[in-house]
Amino acid sequence: MNAALFSVLALFPLLVAYAAASGLVSMTMPNRLWFILVASFGVCALATGMALPVLAAHVGAGALMLVICFGFFAAGWIGGGDAKLSAAIALWFGFEPLMDYALISTMAGGVLTLAILKYRSMPMPQFA
């Protein structure tokens, strides 16, 4: 298996799963994580010989998501780590599935937020 295929089929999903677990457990998103996602996309793009217009479209999708999510962060709706992670993931996806990604991640994030709020409102057991 070549490195480019490995990065798409294994590295990207592993990094996103790590981000999800990190966010769920610590409510923080390490800066190195989005940096690794962006850098690994660059390596993958070079390794696969991605055409410059396609690369520009992927970078544009990431930049658009960063601008939108920065607005959400400024409004206090999401955290800064979430904004950077969304942009890094959009970089990998490009424009074509961007709306699907945004809709699914928004809905899943909303459900998760409601579940966490419900869990936090429950009293702790005596033995804890």
Side-chain angles (χ1 to χ4, degrees):
M1 178 184 296
N2 67 24
L5 188 57
F6 172 76
S7 67
V8 172
L9 296 178
L11 183 61
F12 175 72
L14 287 173
L15 289 171
V16 173
Y18 176 76
S22 173
L24 190 60
V25 171
S26 68
M27 301 297 280
T28 61
M29 199 71 55
N31 282 332
R32 69 181 178 275
L33 184 59
W34 70 265
F35 179 76
I36 292 169
L37 273 166
V38 170
S40 61
F41 172 78
V43 169
C44 180
L46 289 174
T48 60
M50 184 179 285
L52 193 56
V54 176
L55 178 63
H58 279 261
V59 170
L64 176 66
M65 186 63 84
L66 184 62
V67 168
I68 292 169
C69 289
F70 181 76
F72 292 164
F73 169 71
W77 298 341
I78 65 173
D82 298 324
K84 291 182 284 189
L85 182 65
S86 292
I89 291 172
L91 174 70
W92 276 84
F93 287 166
F95 277 112
E96 189 174 330
L98 192 58
M99 288 303 294
D100 291 337
Y101 162 65
L103 179 64
I104 291 168
S105 64
T106 300
M107 305 257 314
V111 169
L112 181 61
T113 299
L114 292 174
I116 289 171
L117 289 173
K118 177 67 177 166
Y119 176 75
R120 287 185 178 175
S121 70
M122 296 168 47
M124 294 285 288
Q126 287 292 342
F127 64 87

